[in-house]
C-alpha cells in the first residue's frame, strides 16, 4: 500500500542543514495501523507529510499503490484524494458550515452532485457522533468536535489511507477520548492508518506496528508488545522511560 | 457643543467678510423645470384637439400638402382652438418636465466613474495580489514593479500620462483614460491589501485544501480568497472610499464629474462657498453610503466567527 524507500527530507534554513527525515525504508500493508512515535523534532510530522506530498522529497521514493511520488509526472492531486490527512490544528475551513466542510471537496474534486455529497457528509457526521452540528460553523464547536469533523472531512473523499498528525495534542484532556474512539473504530473497520501520536495507550491497544524515530532515522520498529516491553535500542528505552 | 461653537465661529467670520449667502439658488442646479415649446413649421389649420387629463394632443393639417402632424402638450398651455389658422412658427403649446441639473449630472458621473474604476481596480488588484504571492519569480517581480511604480508616482501625474500620452498613442477618449488611470491606481493598493489578506490566512488552510486533493487554483478560489476577502473588507472599503474622493482629480482632464460641475456652476452663480459646501456634502453622501453598505456586508459575513 505505502512503500517508502530511503526517504530523505532535508531542510536548509540560512546555511543550517536539518536532516528531518534521514533514510527511512518501510512497507505499510493494506489494513495495517502504524503508529509513529519519537521525541519532539525527530521528523515524525515531516515523514507523514512526505507520504501525501505536502513536502517535496529530497531523495528516495514514496510509492502509494504503486504510484511513485518522487516521479515528477505524478499528479499529486490525484494521489492526495486517496490519502486523507488529519492535522493537529484541525484546519477546518472556518468560513464554511460543518456540512459544507464535508461537501466542498467531494463536489470540487470527486465531482459528486451536491445531493450525493450531502448524503455522504451526513452519514459521516452520524458516524463520528455529531449529526446535530451540521449547520454550525467550526468556531462554534469544541476542539474534540472539530477534530471529529476533520476526520469526517477526510473520510468523505473515500481515501485508501488515513494519516493522523498528533490528532489529540491540541485537545483538552477530556476530549481526547472521543477522538481516539473514532480512530479506534476506523481501525476496526480495516482502514489503513499511519498515526503520529504521544498517546501510548492508543499505540498499545490499536497499533499493528510501532515505528520509533529519532533524528530523522527509523531507530526501532516492531509490534507494540515488543516495543513497549523489550525494546532493543538504547534511545527507545530512554524515550519510553520518559513518557511512561 | 464643540461643533456648535465652531459653526458659530464660522458664521461670525463670514459675517465679517460681508458674504451674501444665496442658498436658494442651489436647488435649480440639481434639477430644474424646463419648458419645451412646440411650434409648427408650416401653415395650416387645427383639425382636432384631444384632451386627456393633463395632456392634450393637437392635430394640425398642412394647407398645402394636406398631411397632418400631432403635438402632445400640457393641457394648461393649450392656446389654440379647432379650425384656427396657424402660420409657420406659431406656438401650439408647450410641455414642461424635470431635467437633471449640472450638479445631479456631475454626481452621477462621479458615481459611475468610481464604480467602474473600482471594479477594474478590484480585478487588477486580485490578479496582481495573486501574482505577488505566487511561486513564479517573473510574475512576482512584474507585480512588484507595477505596485512600486503606481504607488511611487502621484495620481495626478498618472492621469496626465494616461490622457495625454496613452490617450493619444492608443487613441482612447478622456473617459476611458480617466477611468483606466483610476482603476490601475486603485489596483496597486488593492493588490497589497489582497496580498496581506492571503498571507494572513494560516498555512494549514492551504495544506488542508491540498490534502483533500484540491489543486492550487481551487484551493485559492474556495478556501483562501473567501477568508482573505472577509479579513480585507475594512481596508478594501477604505481604498474604495479613497477612490471616490480621488476621482475628483479627473476634472483636470475635462471630465464633467461632480467637482468640475461644481466649478462650472460657480462660474455662472458666484456662489462659491455654497457650491463647495454642497459638493463636499455630496461626496460625503457617496462615501458614507459605501461605508454603510460595507458594514452591512461585514455583519453578514461575521456569522461564521
Ligand atoms: N518547513 C521547515 N523548514 C525548516 N525546518 C523544518 C521545517 N519543518 C520541520 N523542520 C525541522 O525538521 C525537524 C523535524 O521536524 P518535525 O516537525 O517533523 O518533527 P516532529 O517529530 O513532528 O516533532 P513534534 O513532535 O514536535 O511535532 C525539526 O528539527 C524541525 O525544526
Ligand atoms: Mg510534529
Amino acid at each position: 500500500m505505502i512503500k517508502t524507500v530511503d526517504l530523505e527530507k532535508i531542510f536548509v534554513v540560512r546555511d543550517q542543514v536539518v536532516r528531518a527525515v534521514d533514510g527511512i525504508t518501510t512497507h505499510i500493508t493494506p489494513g495495517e495501523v502504524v503508529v509513529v512515535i519519537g521525541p519532539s523534532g525527530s521528523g515524525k510530522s515531516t515523514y507523514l507529510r512526505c507520504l501525501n506530498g505536502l513536502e517535496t522529497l529530497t531523495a528516495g521514493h514514496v510509492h502509494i499503490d504503486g504510484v511513485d511520488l518522487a516521479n515528477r509526472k505524478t499528479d499529486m492531486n490525484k494521489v492526495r484524494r486517496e490519502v486523507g490527512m488529519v492535522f493537529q490544528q484541525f484546519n477546518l475551513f472556518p468560513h464554511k458550515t460543518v456540512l459544507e466542510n464535508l461537501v466542498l471537496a467531494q463536489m470540487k474534486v470527486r465531482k459528486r452532485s451536491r445531493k450525493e455529497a450531502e448524503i455522504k457528509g451526513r452519514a459521516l457526521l452520524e458516524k463520528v457522533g455529531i449529526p446535530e452540528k451540521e449547520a454550525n460553523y467550526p468556531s462554534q464547536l469544541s476542539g474534540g468536535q472539530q477534530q471529529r469533523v476533520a476526520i469526517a472531512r477526510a473520510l468523505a473523499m473515500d481515501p485508501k489511507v488515513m494519516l493522523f498528525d498528533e490528532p489529540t495534542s491540541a485537545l483538552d484532556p477530556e476530549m481526547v477520548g472521543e477522538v481516539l474512539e473514532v480512530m479506534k473504530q476506523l481501525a476496526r473497520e480495516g482502514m489503513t492508518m499511519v498515526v503520529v501520536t504521544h498517546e501510548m495507550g492508543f499505540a498499545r491497544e490499536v497499533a499493528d506496528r510501532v515505528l520509533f524515530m529519532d533524528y530523522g532515522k527509523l531507530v526501532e520498529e516492531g509490534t507494540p508488545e515488543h516495543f513497549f516491553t523489550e525494546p532493543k535500542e538504547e534511545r527507545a528505552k530512554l524515550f519510553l522511560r520518559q513518557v511512561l | 457643543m464643540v461643533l456648535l461653537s465652531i459653526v458659530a465661529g464660522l458664521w461670525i467670520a463670514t459675517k465679517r467678510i460681508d458674504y451674501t449667502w444665496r442658498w436658494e439658488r442651489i436647488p435649480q442646479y440639481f434639477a430644474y423645470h424646463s419648458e419645451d415649446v412646440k411650434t409648427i413649421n408650416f401653415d395650416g389649420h387645427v383639425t382636432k384637439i384631444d384632451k386627456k387629463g393633463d395632456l392634450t394632443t393637437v392635430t394640425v393639417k398642412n394647407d398645402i400638402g394636406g398631411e397632418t402632424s400631432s403635438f402632445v402638450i400640457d393641457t394648461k398651455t393649450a392656446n389654440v382652438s379647432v379650425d384656427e389658422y396657424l402660420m409657420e412658427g406659431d406656438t401650439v403649446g408647450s410641455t414642461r418636465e424635470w431635467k437633471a441639473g449640472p450638479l445631479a449630472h456631475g454626481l452621477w458621473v462621479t458615481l459611475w466613474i468610481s464604480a467602474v474604476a473600482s471594479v477594474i481596480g478590484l480585478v487588477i488588484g486580485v490578479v496582481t495580489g495573486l501574482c505577488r504571492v505566487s511561486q513564479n519569480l517573473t510574475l512576482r517581480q512584474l507585480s512588484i514593479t507595477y505596485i512600486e511604480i503606481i504607488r511611487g508616482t502621484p495620481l495626478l501625474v498618472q492621469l496626465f500620462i494616461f490622457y495625454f500620452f496613452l490617450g493619444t498613442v492608443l487613441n482612447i477618449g478622456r473617459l476611458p483614460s480617466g477611468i483606466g488611470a483610476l482603476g490601475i491606481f486603485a489596483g496597486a493598493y488593492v493588490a497589497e491589501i489582497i496580498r496581506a489578506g492571503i498571507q494572513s490566512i494560516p498555512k494549514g488552510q492551504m495544506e488542508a485544501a491540498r490534502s483533500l486533493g484540491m489543486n492550487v487554483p481551487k484551493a485559492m478560489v474556495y478556501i483562501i480568497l473567501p477568508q482573505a476577502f472577509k479579513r480585507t473588507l475594512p481596508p478594501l472599503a477604505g481604498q474604495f472610499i479613497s477612490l471616490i474622493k480621488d476621482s475628483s482629480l479627473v476634472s483636470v482632464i475635462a471630465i464633467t464629474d461632480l467637482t468640475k460641475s461644481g466649478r462650472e456652476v460657480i462660474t455662472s452663480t458666484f456662489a462659491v462657498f455654497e457650491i463647495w459646501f454642497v459638493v463636499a456634502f455630496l461626496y460625503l453622501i457617496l462615501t458614507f453610503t459605501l461605508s454603510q453598505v460595507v458594514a452591512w456586508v461585514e455583519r453578514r459575513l461575521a456569522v461564521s466567527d
Side-chain angles (χ1 to χ4, degrees):
Chain A
M1 173 114 275
I2 304 181
K3 227 190 224 162
T4 66
V5 184
D6 297 328
L7 181 60
E8 242 178 64
K9 176 68 193 183
I10 299 173
F11 291 109
V12 182
V13 182
R14 273 187 252 107
D15 300 331
Q16 273 222 329
V17 177
V18 180
R19 304 179 79 84
V21 176
D22 195 359
I24 292 194
T25 303
T26 61
H27 185 189
I28 296 162
T29 54
E32 199 176 13
V33 177
V34 174
V35 169
V36 183
I37 59 180
S40 180
S42 56
K44 307 180 296 288
S45 299
T46 310
Y47 174 66
L48 208 61
R49 291 159 57 85
C50 286
L51 297 187
N52 75 343
L54 278 183
E55 303 284 357
T56 51
L57 315 182
T58 309
H61 298 273
V62 175
H63 297 274
I64 306 238
D65 254 356
V67 181
D68 187 359
L69 298 197
N71 187 339
R72 280 168 174 238
K73 292 203 193 86
T74 302
D75 181 354
M76 282 297 175
N77 299 316
K78 245 184 189 147
V79 174
R80 291 200 188 103
R81 291 176 210 180
E82 314 296 338
V83 184
M85 181 140 186
V86 176
F87 301 85
Q88 185 174 350
Q89 299 299 338
F90 326 137
N91 294 345
L92 291 178
F93 306 136
H95 60 305
K96 302 257 176 215
T97 63
V98 165
L99 188 62
E100 275 298 312
N101 263 277
L102 270 63
V103 163
L104 184 70
Q106 290 191 66
M107 288 173 63
K108 302 303 172 196
V109 178
R110 287 280 192 207
K111 306 286 178 209
R112 291 177 186 151
S113 71
R114 169 164 288 277
K115 195 154 164 261
E116 205 183 341
E118 282 185 355
I119 289 171
K120 175 116 201 158
R122 291 207 172 93
L124 283 166
L125 284 178
E126 189 87 42
K127 179 173 177 165
V128 299
I130 36 175
E132 73 283 3
K133 298 287 188 192
E134 66 164 68
N136 287 79
Y137 284 93
S139 60
Q140 299 160 340
L141 270 56
S142 73
Q145 291 170 333
Q146 289 190 50
Q147 192 61 297
R148 285 185 280 157
V149 173
I151 294 173
R153 179 177 67 179
L155 290 175
M157 301 299 287
D158 293 319
K160 294 183 184 139
V161 189
M162 286 283 284
L163 310 178
F164 296 83
D165 190 0
E166 304 197 23
T168 55
S169 297
L171 297 179
D172 291 338
E174 71 269 22
M175 295 170 186
V176 169
E178 62 194 50
V179 172
L180 290 182
E181 204 41 58
V182 171
M183 292 169 63
K184 282 178 198 167
Q185 193 194 337
L186 262 185
R188 280 197 295 275
E189 288 168 6
M191 174 63 79
T192 312
M193 293 162 64
V194 184
V195 184
V196 174
T197 186
H198 292 299
E199 294 292 329
M200 296 304 152
F202 177 83
R204 263 202 181 122
E205 189 184 333
V206 186
D208 296 310
R209 187 149 50 110
V210 174
L211 306 185
F212 176 74
M213 282 180 72
D214 201 9
Y215 294 109
K217 288 201 165 57
L218 184 53
V219 175
E220 181 144 8
E221 85 177 280
T223 60
E225 298 88 68
H226 159 81
F227 182 76
F228 287 109
T229 52
E230 45 187 309
K232 286 198 294 282
E233 297 291 328
E234 211 39 57
R235 270 185 284 175
K237 284 179 193 159
L238 195 68
F239 176 75
L240 282 177
R241 265 205 299 283
Q242 280 164 358
V243 297
L244 292 182
Chain B
M1 198 51 224
V2 179
L3 268 176
L4 223 64
S5 50
I6 292 175
V7 170
L10 278 177
W11 186 72
I12 293 165
T14 47
K15 271 273 174 252
R16 288 235 314 272
I17 59 165
D18 200 19
Y19 183 87
T20 33
W21 296 89
R22 277 186 297 242
W23 288 103
E24 73 283 355
R25 302 183 58 178
I26 307 304
Q28 58 172 316
Y29 292 99
F30 278 100
Y32 58 93
H33 239 139
S34 86
E35 188 158 20
D36 184 13
V37 180
K38 306 263 164 90
T39 55
I40 64 171
N41 52 4
F42 53 80
D43 297 346
H45 280 86
V46 177
T47 53
K48 208 169 90 197
I49 295 180
D50 189 7
K51 244 184 228 178
K52 264 203 198 107
D54 284 348
L55 289 180
T56 298
T57 311
V58 177
T59 312
V60 185
K61 186 168 172 224
N62 193 333
D63 281 353
I64 299 159
E67 68 267 23
T68 59
S69 307
S70 302
F71 302 88
V72 179
I73 55 172
D74 279 353
T75 304
K76 282 196 289 288
T77 64
N79 57 358
V80 292
S81 48
V82 178
D83 283 343
E84 188 177 333
Y85 175 69
L86 295 175
M87 284 204 302
E88 183 175 343
D90 277 356
T91 317
V92 183
S94 61
T95 53
R96 288 160 69 83
E97 57 184 347
W98 286 101
K99 283 245 175 80
L103 285 180
H105 183 255
L107 182 67
W108 167 243
V109 170
T110 288
L111 186 65
W112 80 261
I113 282 186
S114 308
V116 175
S118 296
V119 172
I120 295 175
L122 191 62
V123 171
I124 295 180
V126 170
V127 171
T128 314
L130 285 172
C131 291
R132 186 80 173 67
V133 296
S134 91
Q135 302 286 330
N136 187 315
L137 189 68
T138 318
L139 285 180
R140 222 161 51 221
Q141 278 176 342
L142 272 177
S143 57
I144 290 175
T145 312
Y146 157 67
I147 291 168
E148 288 301 323
I149 289 176
I150 296 298
R151 294 205 308 182
T153 53
L155 175 56
L156 193 56
V157 174
Q158 291 169 22
L159 267 169
F160 285 138
I161 291 178
F162 252 79
Y163 179 50
F164 290 114
F165 178 66
L166 291 182
T168 313
V169 172
L170 305 175
N171 197 20
I172 50 177
R174 55 169 57 98
L175 265 177
S177 351
I179 293 171
L182 281 177
I184 287 174
F185 175 78
Y189 289 86
V190 171
E192 279 298 273
I193 294 172
I194 297 282
R195 175 192 62 82
I198 291 173
Q199 288 177 342
S200 77
I201 305 301
K203 254 177 54 198
Q205 289 291 311
M206 187 51 132
E207 291 184 349
R210 310 251 17 220
S211 76
L212 289 167
M214 288 190 210
N215 54 24
V216 175
K218 276 184 187 158
M220 271 290 169
V221 169
Y222 298 114
I223 307 301
I224 307 297
L225 283 180
Q227 295 182 53
F229 179 70
K230 184 175 156 187
R231 288 194 191 187
T232 54
L233 208 52
L236 277 181
Q239 190 54 50
F240 291 128
I241 285 172
S242 289
L243 180 66
I244 292 178
K245 295 183 292 177
D246 291 342
S247 76
S248 69
L249 286 174
V250 299
S251 59
V252 300
I253 57 170
I255 293 174
T256 316
D257 73 328
L258 183 51
T259 301
K260 183 144 189 298
S261 305
R263 280 222 299 266
E264 283 170 359
V265 172
I266 286 169
T267 55
S268 57
T269 60
F270 302 107
V272 184
F273 294 0
E274 294 91 328
I275 294 294
W276 284 128
F277 277 127
V278 166
V279 167
F281 183 67
L282 291 175
Y283 276 110
L284 202 58
I285 288 178
L286 288 185
T287 53
F288 183 74
T289 311
L290 178 58
S291 63
Q292 289 306 301
V293 169
V294 172
W296 177 79
V297 175
E298 251 182 283
R299 279 198 301 277
R300 287 283 312 268
L301 291 178
V303 291
S304 63
D305 287 337

